[in-house]
Amino acid sequence: CVGQLGCAQDDGGHKMHSEFFCPPRDYRREAVMVPLVGDADHFLTAIASKPPGQGARAQVAIVVIHGGLREAEPYYDVMMKVVKKHNQHDSTLVVAPGFADRPCSSKEWLKGSSLRHTGAEAAHWGSSSRQWMFGAESDHNATWKGVTSFEAIDSIFPWVSKEYLGVEHIILAGFSSGGQMVLHWAITSTEGIDGKTKDGKELRIVIGSPSTVMYLDEKRPAKKCLPNEDTGKLHHCDDFQVQAADVCGRHDYDQYGFGLGGLRWHSGVGSNIRLDVSNYVHATTSKSDQKHLRSTLVKRFASKDIRFLFGSHDTKSCLKGICSGDCQSMTQGANRLQRGLNYMGHLENAIPGYKAIFGIFEGGHDHIKAFNSDHFESWAFHHGRGMQASVVAHASPMHKATERIVQLEVSVGGTPRVFAPHFDHIIN
């Protein structure tokens, strides 16, 4: 089953247990329901730091997507500690959605909460981690066809706008499996175009240490960019080549999930991940754009405010089972850091004029260190609010890592104040 979408495995090819609890194990008072757009009978489970309708002082919302264990509560706990560390508790709403793996009614989910249940049922993705991570529809029943996990994410933004009127800036962050999910969503969703949600809120997307990434064209890093060793945080790739059609045997190396292959309009019945995502994409794409679907998705992606985070020591070989080691994955790199840095080169190679923004924090595959990094602090808490960012990129020979200096000028009472510079490792 390794290498095939729909396997009941995590991003590293291992079967997983779940840490989803209905009702929440530790945060019952914070349980909320995110109604699915156009569906009053179903909801997305979530935990929120402020009750709906009572967060008038919140100006920023951080939506954090859990990892492969569906551990929304621990991710919520980590993000709340980050918010409090920076004294942003009053002005920041934290929302941690949970992609349930079992049935959960509103009555069960809100047990211990002051909110009233509605009789609605939670959408759940019980087949595998890849079911929600790659955008497939939730489990069906006789009266409901389900909803894609991407539609569930899309539903969060109008809910935030309706229930938290003061929020003007939203950060959507995911790490590991959550980072994979957020990247897949960011490439296919119409939310976030030109850096805004559909209802005009500023949207910044932060993707942390995904096991695999989704390429925008059929080229992959040349072999010299793929040594099975720790190539370090200065690794850079600027050589990308179309692979042989049979490089991964009967599995297409560019199939959806690893690339954009197979995303087309389907007239058949049934459900699988590529069919579900194809239908999701085509529902938000004009007929004229459908003829040029790949270029349409690339254009959307290029306009979004997207940042990446990688651990400097996230370098264990994926062939040892620490992350996805199937053929399609190995065409991207030998470890997570190498894959991430290769992908930064790919984005700049595939999108003319594009400059990938990313930070490298000191640590391994660790969401706590990622969210406590200076990079995330800068991107989350200095986002918007009159902010102007001046970016100076220093060229460097031999493709050495350089530093991008971001000075954050925030207008406070009409007087610009320049915060200490933050450094984003980039490749020029």
Side-chain angles (χ1 to χ4, degrees), residues 236-377:
H236 175 65
C237 183
D238 58 5
D239 187 0
F240 297 86
Q241 303 169 2
V242 176
Q243 305 294 299
D246 61 351
V247 66
C248 290
R250 64 188 180 89
H251 300 304
D252 181 0
Y253 76 90
D254 194 48
Q255 68 179 349
Y256 170 75
F258 306 97
L260 297 177
L263 290 184
R264 56 185 181 274
W265 184 254
H266 295 267
S267 58
V269 296
S271 177
N272 59 54
I273 293 179
R274 275 182 289 281
L275 171 60
D276 294 347
V277 176
S278 290
N279 290 341
Y280 169 78
V281 168
H282 282 274
T284 59
T285 308
S286 68
K287 289 184 178 180
S288 60
D289 285 340
Q290 288 175 17
K291 296 179 181 179
H292 311 283
L293 184 59
R294 191 182 291 263
S295 61
T296 297
L297 295 180
V298 171
K299 182 178 180 181
R300 287 181 187 174
F301 180 86
S303 77
K304 300 184 180 186
D305 182 356
I306 299 179
R307 319 294 172 97
F308 293 84
L309 270 174
F310 308 114
S312 60
H313 302 298
D314 199 355
T315 56
K316 293 182 179 179
S317 173
C318 292
L319 291 177
K320 296 182 179 180
I322 198 70
C323 42
S324 183
D326 52 62
C327 178
Q328 296 101 314
S329 303
M330 295 304 293
T331 65
Q332 301 179 359
N335 58 65
R336 290 191 188 94
L337 177 60
Q338 187 185 98
R339 289 175 184 178
L341 295 179
N342 282 343
Y343 193 61
M344 298 301 94
H346 157 72
L347 292 178
E348 297 188 357
N349 180 269
I351 307 173
Y354 189 83
K355 287 295 181 182
I357 301 177
F358 66 98
I360 297 179
F361 63 91
E362 199 65 24
H365 197 63
D366 189 331
H367 68 288
I368 298 176
K369 289 184 177 180
F371 293 141
N372 278 280
S373 67
D374 288 344
H375 306 289
F376 187 79
E377 181 265 341

Side-chain angles (χ1 to χ4, degrees), residues 147-207:
V147 63
T148 68
S149 59
F150 293 167
E151 291 171 298
I153 291 291
D154 290 341
S155 296
I156 294 172
F157 305 115
W159 173 76
V160 168
S161 294
K162 178 183 177 182
E163 300 292 347
Y164 304 94
L165 299 180
V167 169
E168 292 295 333
H169 315 287
I170 301 174
I171 294 90
L172 176 65
F175 186 88
S176 192
S177 294
Q180 283 182 283
M181 194 273 188
V182 171
L183 177 59
H184 299 148
W185 170 86
I187 292 173
T188 55
S189 177
T190 53
E191 291 284 3
I193 293 175
D194 296 326
K196 294 183 181 294
T197 64
K198 290 179 181 178
D199 52 9
K201 309 298 183 185
E202 291 188 10
L203 176 60
R204 175 164 290 170
I205 300 164
V206 180
I207 297 165

Side-chain angles (χ1 to χ4, degrees), residues 33-79:
M33 301 187 303
V34 177
L36 301 177
V37 172
D39 186 347
D41 296 326
H42 297 90
F43 66 95
L44 177 66
T45 66
I47 301 166
S49 60
K50 302 178 189 298
Q54 300 182 33
R57 297 179 63 181
Q59 301 172 356
V60 175
I62 300 178
V63 180
V64 59
I65 306 299
H66 57 66
L69 298 180
R70 311 183 197 231
E71 64 275 51
E73 293 184 73
Y75 268 67
Y76 172 83
D77 184 67
V78 167
M79 193 58 71

